[in-house]
Amino acid sequence: MQESRKDCHAWLTLLATALVPLMIGIFTVVITIQHQSSADRQRQQEQQQADNLQNERTFSTYVDDISKLLLTKEVTTDNKALLYIRTKTLSSLRKLDTQRRKYLLLFLYESQLLQYDKTKKHDRSTLNLAGADLNHIHIEKPKNFNNLSLPGVELNNASFTNCHLQHSRFADSIMNDIRFTNSFLLGTRFSRCSLERADFRNTTLTHVSFRSAILRHADFTRAWTKAADFTNADLYGALMTEKHLQEAELLDNARLPNGSFAMIQEKNLVVNGENIGCDKKLLSSWTMESVIIKTFQHYRSSPNCSFGIANLSSLNPTSIEQQVVVANYSVLIDSGKAKYNVSGSFGGNAYAKITFHTHAAVKTGKQVMIGLDERQNKTGTMIFQQKLGTIPVDTRQFVLVVYFMKIPEGRHNFAVFNNIRITALHLEHSHQMSINNLRFYPAHRCFSNEVIEQIKHYDKYKVPQHIIRNILIDTHQDKFYIVKNIGNILKVTSNNTITQELAVQTCLTEMKEADLTAKIEVIVQRNYELNMIFIACTKTKNNFQRYG
């Protein structure tokens, strides 16, 4: 027992001896970690202070330099001075934090360097900040930014809340997730801007231009869009009501929130492509070597004037060319649903080639040839020809070239053309779509389960399909149904085997109980054979009188 106590005492002594340095080690580690954490926080604070000091120094130096320049000369008429300010501004913006970038913007605006003067024809007096990083700038207090000029800048996740931005310009800017809530925008231009998920709630957008702007999933809740221009705008998924679309002035070529397209302009994209031979010289829309122009002759056949070369043997192969811009169809083109329709009248050895180019003037790889019809070789008159196809995605312009050249196997020595046309089409829908008539379109004629049950109920009693149609229109005034729709539903859903006599008897009994004014008309043929029994209650009679 005594030896056991000695062993226990020895172990306790050993443990105590080991715990002391262990505790010291743990304490040392904890103290070291605390000191390290404190040192890190101190370094972060010092770095923040240094960054803040550097930001303040950069901002102060910038303001001082620009202020001195503004005091010494009239920079609004000096392009070199404006270029110097632009360079210094872009350099400073890259070094400044978000808050001071906001102050820099306010300084430039209040110095009238970013205020567009509508009375002047050129932009020489406005500082060009294209490419400037103004992301995350938030201006939330009531502020007047009328005539603000910021084309081509980056303003992602920024905000102008409770601001006046009349006649301001943001063309070609990237402004995704920007907020303009409770602001007043009159005559402001957002042409070709990227405004995905932009917030325009409670915003006045009178006479605002959204031409070719990307407005996918933008929020227009309680916004006023009177006389707004949405030409070629992409409104897919935008929170808009029918009233917003009705108030807008232009919706040509635009994609609507439901993914459909408004009216597609089917005008001739070729400038001076018709009756070109009526002028004594080649019109400015076409280009060609000047020494060749005088060799062209006019082929007149009232009331049209054609254009071509009378004697190809005396000339080297030549051509005339025109660039056709289709940027106003970009949304339809990039959806992959745009079609081209190329047509013209060609005679002799004349033909045309259309090459598709992207916005960077790069060929898309697709070409269309028209005018090389073998019938041209058999007749001396012009032949109308036409081709239809899909416009490649990302196309922004066509290059149209009309060739006049001697074909070895051709029998003619002349080349002539007229009435050349290129139009962009959307075959799924390429006609005027009235906002007031949206309910007449297929997407608005879908039958809910409730309506299908109503149709089956009326059919059970052999109610004529045109009367069913009238009842549904009266009940669901936001929809429009045609008899064919009713018939299609009954083909799929109806399993009614009740006989005509039993149906009439059952319906007559129920209607007598429900409506004492119920009317029955028996229609017979000339041979007195029963043709139809027409049954109508008061409501169906009213519908019949209303819809005929």
Side-chain angles (χ1 to χ4, degrees):
M1 179 66 69
Q2 188 173 2
E3 291 180 359
S4 176
R5 289 179 179 177
K6 289 181 179 180
D7 291 340
C8 183
H9 183 268
W11 279 107
L12 289 175
T13 302
L14 181 62
L15 181 61
T17 304
L19 282 175
V20 172
L22 180 62
M23 293 299 294
I24 294 174
I26 293 174
F27 179 77
T28 302
V29 170
V30 171
I31 293 299
T32 302
I33 292 174
Q34 289 180 344
H35 285 171
Q36 183 67 36
S37 177
S38 177
D40 289 342
R41 286 196 300 270
Q42 184 174 356
R43 279 195 297 271
Q44 290 177 0
Q45 291 176 357
E46 291 175 352
Q47 184 62 46
Q48 289 175 356
Q49 291 175 356
D51 291 343
N52 186 58
L53 184 61
Q54 180 62 35
N55 274 287
E56 184 61 32
R57 186 180 297 113
T58 301
F59 178 72
S60 299
T61 302
Y62 172 84
V63 171
D64 290 342
D65 290 348
I66 303 303
S67 298
K68 291 178 182 178
L69 185 61
L70 294 175
L71 291 173
T72 56
K73 61 169 59 180
E74 181 59 45
V75 299
T76 56
T77 58
D78 189 336
N79 285 334
K80 290 184 178 180
L82 287 175
L83 180 59
Y84 169 78
I85 296 175
R86 167 180 163 79
T87 303
K88 191 168 185 63
T89 301
L90 295 180
S91 176
S92 299
L93 284 171
R94 287 191 289 268
K95 302 173 184 177
L96 294 176
D97 57 9
T98 302
Q99 191 68 11
R100 287 178 177 81
R101 278 188 280 138
K102 167 187 168 181
Y103 295 148
L104 186 148
L105 175 64
L106 294 174
F107 167 75
L108 290 175
Y109 178 80
E110 291 168 357
S111 300
Q112 299 185 355
L113 290 173
L114 294 178
Q115 295 187 34
Y116 172 62
D117 189 348
K118 296 190 298 180
T119 62
K120 296 186 178 181
K121 296 182 179 180
H122 304 288
D123 296 343
R124 293 178 56 189
S125 61
T126 305
L127 178 63
N128 179 12
L129 286 185
D133 180 2
L134 299 174
N135 296 319
H136 306 287
I137 287 179
H138 300 289
I139 300 175
E140 299 179 350
K141 295 181 179 180
K143 184 68 180 176
N144 184 351
F145 276 108
N146 293 335
N147 302 318
L148 175 64
S149 179
L150 283 176
V153 301
E154 294 184 17
L155 272 165
N156 297 301
N157 291 291
S159 63
F160 291 87
T161 306
N162 299 309
C163 293
H164 278 231
L165 289 150
Q166 298 182 53
H167 304 292
S168 296
R169 305 187 308 167
F170 296 96
D172 300 298
S173 293
I174 302 175
M175 311 170 73
N176 299 323
D177 299 292
I178 195 169
R179 294 186 297 279
F180 286 100
T181 49
N182 300 310
S183 291
F184 186 80
L185 283 68
L186 171 65
T188 297
R189 292 165 57 182
F190 292 102
S191 303
R192 300 174 302 279
C193 284
S194 179
L195 288 157
E196 295 195 64
R197 300 172 301 279
D199 188 348
F200 293 104
R201 288 177 299 169
N202 301 311
T203 301
T204 299
L205 299 169
T206 308
H207 295 281
V208 169
S209 174
F210 289 107
R211 277 181 169 264
S212 301
I214 300 174
L215 290 156
R216 291 190 290 263
H217 305 287
D219 190 348
F220 290 89
T221 303
R222 295 184 298 278
W224 191 25
T225 58
K226 183 175 178 60
D229 183 356
F230 288 104
T231 300
N232 193 44
D234 190 354
L235 294 163
Y236 180 73
L239 295 178
M240 302 182 77
T241 64
E242 183 176 318
K243 184 179 179 181
H244 288 129
L245 299 176
Q246 289 175 340
E247 291 176 342
E249 181 177 8
L250 293 172
L251 280 168
D252 295 348
N253 305 341
R255 180 159 66 166
L256 302 179
N258 63 0
S260 64
F261 281 86
M263 183 186 72
I264 302 300
Q265 296 176 335
E266 295 184 18
K267 65 179 182 179
N268 186 8
L269 300 174
V270 180
V271 180
N272 297 320
E274 302 172 357
N275 296 332
I276 185 174
C278 294
D279 294 275
K280 293 183 179 180
K281 62 180 181 179
L282 193 65
L283 299 175
S284 59
S285 54
W286 297 90
T287 58
M288 187 184 63
E289 297 179 21
S290 58
V291 295
I292 304 296
I293 294 178
K294 60 183 180 181
T295 66
F296 276 71
Q297 296 183 4
H298 309 97
Y299 291 77
R300 300 179 183 273
S301 59
S302 181
N304 298 321
C305 305
S306 303
F307 201 61
I309 298 179
N311 187 2
L312 290 173
S313 60
S314 62
L315 292 174
N316 293 324
T318 188
S319 62
I320 60 175
E321 178 180 314
Q322 182 177 149
Q323 293 186 353
V324 181
V325 178
V326 291
N328 282 338
Y329 297 83
S330 60
V331 177
L332 177 63
I333 291 172
D334 291 345
S335 72
K337 299 178 180 180
K339 307 292 181 180
Y340 64 81
N341 182 11
V342 181
S343 63
S345 297
F346 297 86
N349 296 329
Y351 67 95
K353 180 175 71 174
I354 297 94
T355 307
F356 299 85
H357 292 259
T358 67
H359 60 279
V362 177
K363 293 182 181 179
T364 63
K366 184 169 184 176
Q367 294 182 338
V368 178
M369 306 289 288
I370 185 172
L372 292 176
D373 194 308
E374 62 179 10
R375 293 174 297 171
Q376 291 177 222
N377 199 35
K378 299 178 181 179
T379 178
T381 61
M382 289 192 297
I383 298 175
F384 175 79
Q385 299 176 52
Q386 184 178 30
K387 284 193 175 182
L388 185 71
T390 302
I391 301 176
V393 172
D394 204 30
T395 296
R396 293 298 179 268
Q397 69 175 9
F398 307 146
V399 175
L400 167 64
V401 183
V402 181
Y403 293 94
F404 308 93
M405 60 179 60
K406 179 65 176 177
I407 301 176
E409 62 275 13
R411 57 175 288 191
H412 299 301
N413 193 34
F414 71 93
V416 61
F417 83 100
N418 194 14
N419 295 331
I420 189 163
R421 295 176 57 86
I422 302 177
T423 55
L425 307 172
H426 179 214
L427 296 186
E428 296 179 14
H429 174 77
S430 58
H431 54 278
Q432 175 71 42
M433 182 174 69
S434 170
I435 300 301
N436 295 325
N437 293 331
L438 279 175
R439 65 193 182 98
F440 294 97
Y441 285 82
H444 293 261
R445 295 205 300 265
C446 298
F447 291 97
S448 64
N449 292 332
E450 178 186 357
V451 172
I452 292 175
E453 291 302 318
Q454 284 183 275
I455 294 173
K456 292 166 65 177
H457 172 75
Y458 293 130
D459 182 65
K460 176 182 177 182
Y461 297 109
K462 296 298 181 182
V463 178
Q465 292 180 9
H466 68 282
I467 297 299
I468 297 177
R469 185 273 312 268
N470 295 342
I471 295 173
L472 293 178
I473 291 178
D474 188 57
T475 307
H476 307 278
Q477 296 187 1
D478 61 329
K479 302 287 186 179
F480 182 81
Y481 303 109
I482 59 178
V483 174
K484 183 178 179 181
N485 300 144
I486 309 295
N488 291 338
I489 288 295
L490 291 177
K491 285 180 182 179
V492 178
T493 63
S494 179
N495 56 1
N496 185 12
T497 58
I498 189 170
T499 64
Q500 183 79 27
E501 293 81 6
L502 182 58
V504 171
Q505 185 178 4
T506 303
C507 187
L508 181 60
T509 302
E510 291 183 0
M511 293 183 68
K512 282 183 177 179
E513 295 176 355
D515 188 350
L516 297 177
T517 66
K519 181 180 180 180
I520 301 176
E521 291 185 7
V522 180
I523 301 175
V524 296
Q525 298 177 350
R526 289 185 178 181
N527 58 3
Y528 299 103
E529 291 182 359
L530 181 64
N531 183 45
M532 179 187 293
I533 298 178
F534 180 82
I535 304 172
C537 63
T538 302
K539 187 171 183 178
T540 55
K541 285 191 295 183
N542 292 336
N543 284 331
F544 186 77
Q545 293 174 358
R546 176 181 176 185
Y547 296 101

